[in-house]
Amino acid sequence: MENVYLAIVLAPLLGAISAGLFGKVIGRSGAHWVTILGVATSFVLSLVVFNHIVINGAETFNGPVYTWMVSDGINMQIGFLVDKLTTLMMLVVSFVSLMVHIYTIGYMNDDPGYQRFFSYIALFTFSMLMLVMSNNFLQLFFGWEAVGLVSYLLIGFWYKRPSAIFANLKAFLVNRVGDFGFLLGIAAIVTVFNTLDYAEVFAAAPSMAGASIEVFAGTQWSAMTVICILLFIGAMGKSAQVPLHVWLPDSMEGPTPISALIHAATMVTAGIFMVARMSPLFELSETALSFVLVIGSITALFMGFLGLVQNDIKRVIAYSTLSQLGYMTVALGASAYAAGIFHLMTHAFFKALLFLAAGSVIIAMHHEQDMRNMGGLRKYMPITWITSLVGSLALIGTPFFAGFYSKDTIIEAVHHSQLPGAGIAYWAVLLGVFVTALYSFRMYFMVFHGKPRMDDHTREHLHETPWVVTVPLILLAIPSVLSGYLIDPVVFGNYFDGVIHVLPAHDVIGEMAEHFHGPIAFVGHALSGPAVYLAAAGVFTAWYIYMKNPAIADQAARRFSNVYKMLVNKYYADDFNQTVFAGGARGTGWTLWKLGDVLLIDGLLVNGSAKLVGWVSGIVRQLQTGYLYTYAFSMIIGLLALLSWFIWFAPGT
């Protein structure tokens, strides 16, 4: 099977190289065919691996492919760890990526960078597969940085737009902050365990649970807490958790297909996957788990609030992604790793569906993205309308849809958790259900229902998008409904046995499993709690405000103008960053330029030395008279001075 694993990661890479380097030779159709075939190969082979590992129960594969070098006994190598967690991630990444590749044919049809875009998204898929299949921290870091690099290229794909360049630079810099913590975490692992191999680190972790390291002189910190928090800082950057969330909404500057890929299957899911993979370490630090729990709950609730005031259709979905990532993070902090990964999977399907449906609307609206200029699209775009409804129902946690099973499992798991911060997190994710339903159906009603608000020319040319756009929508709508029924084996079954490690004291999923009696009974159990009713209340509120009495929204904005202004300005996080960090960096640079370059280097060293030479030359010049007797007199004086020195200071005199 080793050759199959290699083929899974190399097929998209070969497609990316072919489209990127030989795009002019193979043409536009050649570029999309070679990359689609590469990603399709990865998907089909991932199904083969799923059958081998999960269905047939084969042993987990963990082995090196290529050893780069050995330094002080530390192996630096390329290797694969293919277990049930890896298999699930491979399927999600390759399937969603395949749908995005097909969709891109229609969306980017008229773009001059057609071949380049296909090269980038295939490279993105390769990078994410390398990340999830790695068996060591070096390869994990390679995949980690590779997805960051390609996201930078894709967010700024339309590089002639200043806003796109600003957005990709912002994403790059914010992720560097997180990656600095991530790299320090890997360095701490090497320091404590003297290895980069997952299996060796996880095996040695229990014996090192009480180990401490000196972060600052004279202070001892728990090694596990330091390692886990540093690793999670990396996840905060990649998975856009507060306060390193600010780059993700701006990533909407890239074409819609890459928005779907970043938000659904690659990049932002990397941090969630990494923490789940590192469960043997995080379980040894309740401090780190509580930190993860609190950060996730803040992100889940407060990023959802921002979705309520957005008018750009893609930005509403972007803030939804931020909020849902917060739910996944909360699950990780509550030690419900299986629930977090399950929500990652279901979310990948319905969030990709929502983004691609938004792109379908944007195509039909001639690249108009403001929802205030839409309305009534239901009768013009029936496939986009019904698939958007499916995605929205899954997102808000409607019973029998995929998002219901994963989201309600997380809420229940947090409710069972005894970790510090779990009480606050529970109320945050519970209130987030209402907020999610409100902004989701605000978008749905404003786009597809009500009176058309576009201009006459746009309305006359409205029609459903081509099949290369609508077929991926239909194919993503299917798992947006059905994937939730995998809750039994994935969350409450033994799917992650031996892969995810949870201490008995933290096993909230185990407690919930005692009362789980199947997906249908789970719905009945959920109806006894508040989450389903909060979602229904959110939908009703959105319908009443945006369909029956739109004046309420304007009145609320005026009455609560300070709150509305704060939400529109995104809690002033961007302003703070621009003033303190960006402004501070520019101010520091200006100061160093004035003091270091202008005053010290140019003023003192360069110009100062030149002035000193000129001053000395001016004095010495006075000795050059041109008269012979003056030079003779000077020689005599010098000779007398030399003789005097020998007489008075010579040794032995």
Side-chain angles (χ1 to χ4, degrees):
M1 290 294 290
E2 186 174 328
N3 291 332
V4 173
Y5 304 142
L6 278 171
I8 289 172
V9 295
L10 291 180
L13 178 62
L14 291 174
I17 293 172
S18 300
L21 298 182
F22 308 106
K24 291 185 179 180
V25 177
I26 62 178
R28 294 165 70 88
S29 61
H32 69 237
W33 276 115
V34 72
T35 51
I36 288 173
L37 286 173
V39 176
T41 300
S42 292
F43 174 61
V44 171
L45 292 180
S46 295
L47 289 173
V48 172
V49 173
F50 181 84
N51 179 71
H52 180 66
I53 298 289
V54 179
I55 306 299
N56 294 334
E59 291 291 324
T60 294
F61 176 85
N62 183 14
V65 175
Y66 170 73
T67 299
W68 177 38
M69 69 176 183
V70 179
S71 177
D72 292 332
I74 300 175
N75 288 318
M76 300 182 185
Q77 60 190 18
I78 297 172
F80 295 141
L81 170 59
V82 183
D83 53 19
K84 291 181 179 179
L85 174 59
T86 309
T87 305
L88 186 148
M89 291 297 297
M90 287 159 55
L91 281 173
V92 171
V93 171
S94 58
F95 175 71
V96 173
S97 179
L98 179 59
M99 295 300 100
V100 170
H101 275 69
I102 296 170
Y103 176 94
T104 300
I105 298 174
Y107 192 89
M108 300 294 288
N109 184 51
D110 299 323
D111 198 283
Y114 191 82
Q115 293 97 315
R116 178 165 58 94
F117 189 82
F118 272 99
S119 175
Y120 286 172
I121 58 176
L123 186 62
F124 210 173
T125 306
F126 158 75
S127 302
M128 190 64 185
L129 288 170
M130 283 291 285
L131 188 156
V132 301
M133 294 175 68
S134 62
N135 74 342
N136 64 86
F137 287 93
L138 180 66
Q139 185 175 327
L140 173 69
F141 188 70
F142 166 79
W144 196 266
E145 292 303 306
V147 293
L149 170 64
V150 184
S151 69
Y152 169 82
L153 296 173
L154 284 163
I155 294 169
F157 181 78
W158 287 319
Y159 55 85
K160 293 184 179 180
R161 296 182 182 179
S163 57
I165 297 303
F166 180 84
N168 75 347
L169 183 60
K170 185 177 182 180
F172 182 83
L173 292 175
V174 172
N175 272 277
R176 294 293 71 72
V177 175
D179 292 354
F180 181 67
F182 188 63
L183 189 58
L184 288 177
I186 293 176
I189 286 172
V190 173
T191 301
V192 173
F193 296 99
N194 197 42
T195 182
L196 287 166
D197 186 82
Y198 288 169
E200 294 178 10
V201 171
F202 296 161
S207 64
M208 302 298 292
S212 61
I213 57 177
E214 190 174 293
V215 179
F216 303 106
T219 60
Q220 295 293 323
W221 294 50
S222 165
M224 283 301 131
T225 297
V226 171
I227 288 171
C228 291
I229 289 179
L230 287 173
L231 292 176
F232 181 66
I233 289 173
M236 288 168 65
K238 278 289 180 290
S239 295
Q241 298 297 290
V242 172
L244 301 182
H245 66 284
V246 292
W247 68 271
L248 191 58
D250 287 357
S251 68
M252 297 302 97
E253 290 296 332
T256 299
I258 192 51
S259 300
L261 201 53
I262 287 177
H263 287 244
T266 60
M267 187 70 172
V268 297
T269 60
I272 306 300
F273 164 79
M274 183 273 293
V275 174
R277 174 63 80 193
M278 300 300 138
S279 62
L281 303 182
F282 278 84
E283 282 299 292
L284 300 176
S285 174
E286 288 197 353
T287 302
L289 288 174
S290 293
F291 181 71
V292 173
L293 188 66
V294 171
I295 292 294
S297 62
I298 292 171
T299 306
L301 180 60
F302 288 95
M303 293 302 104
F305 285 141
L306 297 184
L308 296 172
V309 298
Q310 300 299 313
N311 294 310
D312 184 311
I313 185 172
K314 286 174 63 176
R315 285 184 179 269
V316 175
I317 306 173
Y319 281 108
S320 168
T321 299
L322 282 168
S323 181
Q324 297 308 306
L325 287 168
Y327 275 87
M328 298 175 210
T329 303
V330 165
L332 300 175
S335 293
Y337 303 98
I341 293 296
F342 186 52
H343 194 51
L344 182 156
M345 179 188 73
T346 61
H347 175 265
F349 299 134
F350 61 72
K351 187 51 59 67
L353 171 60
L354 286 171
F355 264 115
L356 298 187
S360 178
V361 169
I362 292 168
I363 294 171
M365 291 290 298
H366 305 293
H367 293 277
E368 172 64 66
Q369 296 183 198
D370 194 326
M371 298 187 300
R372 293 170 294 187
N373 298 326
M374 299 179 188
L377 295 183
R378 176 176 61 90
K379 61 182 179 181
Y380 301 103
M381 309 178 69
I383 298 176
T384 302
W385 164 65
I386 193 66
T387 52
S388 294
L389 178 60
V390 169
S392 298
L393 291 172
L395 172 61
I396 70 171
T398 306
F400 304 109
F401 285 77
F404 162 76
Y405 292 102
S406 56
K407 184 183 286 187
D408 272 52
T409 302
I410 292 172
I411 295 171
E412 192 68 19
V414 177
H415 199 199
H416 279 75
S417 177
Q418 300 299 316
L419 287 171
I424 296 173
Y426 173 70
W427 289 108
V429 295
L430 198 58
L431 181 56
V433 173
F434 174 81
V435 176
T436 301
L438 181 55
Y439 68 66
S440 297
F441 275 83
R442 169 182 177 263
M443 176 183 69
Y444 173 75
F445 290 131
M446 287 181 70
V447 173
F448 294 103
H449 292 269
K451 295 180 180 179
R453 297 179 296 276
M454 69 287 295
D455 58 68
D456 293 337
H457 175 76
T458 302
R459 184 168 61 251
E460 289 170 2
H461 292 84
L462 276 174
H463 58 81
E464 187 61 89
T465 44
W467 70 267
V468 290
V469 173
T470 55
V471 167
L473 298 183
I474 297 169
L475 293 177
L476 285 166
I478 295 170
S480 295
V481 178
L482 299 181
S483 62
Y485 295 91
L486 296 174
I487 185 174
D488 191 357
V490 174
V491 179
F492 296 115
N494 58 358
Y495 186 85
F496 289 118
D497 284 359
V499 178
I500 289 174
H501 301 270
V502 180
L503 295 180
H506 300 161
D507 192 11
V508 292
I509 295 295
E511 294 178 26
M512 294 168 61
E514 297 175 3
H515 307 285
F516 179 78
H517 303 291
I520 306 301
F522 188 82
V523 175
H525 175 74
L527 290 175
S528 64
V532 174
Y533 304 104
L534 285 170
V539 174
F540 175 79
T541 304
W543 171 80
Y544 183 76
I545 293 176
Y546 296 101
M547 294 296 295
K548 290 297 181 182
N549 197 349
I552 293 178
D554 295 330
Q555 292 169 3
R558 288 193 298 270
R559 185 172 181 179
F560 303 101
S561 58
N562 290 332
V563 175
Y564 179 75
K565 186 178 180 181
M566 180 181 65
L567 294 178
V568 168
N569 287 282
K570 299 167 282 189
Y571 306 118
Y572 301 99
D574 284 338
D575 299 289
F576 178 82
N577 291 334
Q578 284 294 109
T579 302
V580 176
F581 295 113
R586 288 193 298 268
T588 302
W590 185 89
T591 303
L592 292 174
W593 168 61
K594 279 292 185 182
L595 295 179
D597 196 45
V598 176
L599 181 62
L600 179 61
I601 298 174
D602 288 344
L604 186 59
L605 297 180
V606 178
N607 296 331
S609 60
K611 290 178 180 178
L612 178 62
V613 170
W615 179 75
V616 172
S617 299
I619 296 175
V620 174
R621 189 183 301 118
Q622 303 302 317
L623 301 176
Q624 301 293 327
T625 65
Y627 296 107
L628 184 60
Y629 63 84
T630 303
Y631 301 147
F633 180 74
S634 299
M635 291 173 64
I636 292 170
I637 295 299
L639 181 61
L640 290 174
L642 188 62
L643 289 172
S644 299
W645 185 86
F646 276 112
I647 292 171
W648 292 102
F649 298 104
T653 60

